[in-house]
Amino acid sequence: MQEVMKNIHVQIVRDQTAGGLAGFQVFQNALNKGAQVLGLATGSTPVTIYDELTASDLDFSNLTSINLDEYVGLKPTHPQSYHYFMQEHLFDQKPFAHSFVPDGMNLNADEETKLYDALINANPIDLQLLGLGQNGHIGFNEPGTDPASTTHKVALTASTIAANARFFDNADEVPRYAYSMGIGSILKAKQILIVAYGEAKANAVAAMLQGPVTPDVPASYLQRHPNVTVILDQAAASKLN
Ligand code: F6R
């Protein structure tokens, strides 16, 4: 099923496998139109898109990728770092000319966030891939984040620490801080693809698309972006009118 709401194109797919193919097609179209810089995300949601990208004959060797976020304090070689995730799921198979992920080992937050913003400004993102948090976060922009925010150091909320704890041996090991592009940085991308699966995301999906634009739901600011594609499964779409 497909529905167009103003600037937002919603596509409902059978499951995460079908979502991988649908997401791949959004990437393919963007590349066909000349996209040079891809904004990328980690987490469980994009994995099937990355599977399709790695299995395809698309060539990224002249392109640039810029990731949304990284935990502060994890080395790139830590299996739960976002650097490691991207190597494993995409970059090892499909190298880009340049791939950037915030440097979680740079403990000088002011320096790191300024460097990352300069990088984004010098390489405007053509297509930004996003997952959606159960609380409506995008990147690590938790409820209450300034919509004009640029790259910043974030103290993770208890709910995000709990949601990410499944990737660590216990919740105490989950980093408490991350570097994240801000909502303002994300909204500068020319096109945005946001993907959500499962009933646990249904409230956040409804608030993102049909609720007021509010700092309580960072993803609701996507309503103000001119070109957004949303891929959902039935469960994630189940609270939409
Ligand atoms: C990941 C990121 C996060 C996730 C979100 C959904 O780089 O920035 O915002 O996209 O937490 O995570 P999953 O896909 O694991 O449900």
Side-chain angles (χ1 to χ4, degrees):
M1 191 199 97
Q2 305 214 4
E3 188 176 353
V4 180
M5 302 188 289
K6 303 174 286 181
N7 49 331
I8 301 186
H9 179 264
V10 180
Q11 186 173 355
I12 299 182
V13 295
R14 195 180 61 252
D15 55 21
Q16 189 163 354
T17 304
L21 194 55
F24 164 76
Q25 282 158 355
V26 174
F27 274 82
Q28 191 175 39
N29 288 341
L31 263 55
N32 286 341
K33 286 185 197 150
Q36 296 289 320
V37 183
L38 301 178
L40 300 175
T42 63
S44 54
T45 306
V47 168
T48 54
I49 297 178
Y50 295 152
D51 289 346
E52 293 290 342
L53 290 173
T54 54
S56 76
D57 56 8
L58 291 184
D59 179 16
F60 297 145
S61 62
N62 289 319
L63 304 188
T64 296
S65 72
I66 306 185
N67 259 77
L68 279 170
D69 44 17
E70 176 61 289
Y71 290 120
V72 174
L74 294 193
K75 293 188 180 129
T77 51
H78 189 292
Q80 295 307 331
S81 75
Y82 288 177
H83 274 87
Y84 190 96
F85 176 100
M86 291 308 303
Q87 284 300 138
E88 190 181 18
H89 288 281
L90 189 61
F91 300 155
D92 282 345
Q93 299 90 328
K94 286 280 180 188
F96 286 68
H98 305 285
S99 280
F100 300 101
V101 181
D103 179 1
M105 295 307 289
N106 184 356
L107 300 182
N108 182 338
D110 196 43
E111 178 186 70
E112 182 58 24
T113 55
K114 284 198 174 110
L115 279 172
Y116 215 67
D117 278 332
L119 180 77
I120 296 166
N121 289 334
N123 298 274
I125 294 173
D126 293 299
L127 172 63
Q128 175 68 56
L129 173 61
L130 300 174
L132 178 66
Q134 292 177 26
N135 62 1
H137 73 224
I138 48 176
F140 270 119
N141 296 290
E142 303 289 5
T145 304
D146 177 356
S149 53
T150 53
T151 306
H152 57 294
K153 183 178 175 183
V154 183
L156 306 185
T157 63
S159 75
T160 296
I161 292 169
N164 287 343
R166 67 190 192 276
F167 299 118
F168 292 82
D169 289 341
N170 64 67
D172 294 342
E173 284 185 24
V174 185
R176 269 36 185 177
Y177 295 93
Y179 292 132
S180 178
M181 284 188 201
I183 298 174
S185 334
I186 291 169
L187 292 175
K188 278 197 282 188
K190 288 175 204 142
Q191 181 181 2
I192 291 175
L193 168 62
I194 185 160
V195 185
Y197 305 115
E199 205 187 337
K201 303 282 176 79
N203 283 330
V205 167
M208 162 175 77
L209 296 176
Q210 295 178 334
V213 176
T214 163
D216 296 342
V217 183
S220 66
Y221 287 97
L222 298 182
Q223 292 178 32
R224 295 194 178 153
H225 190 279
N227 186 0
V228 180
T229 300
V230 186
I231 295 174
L232 307 170
D233 66 2
Q234 292 283 356
S238 60
K239 300 212 168 141
L240 290 173
N241 293 329

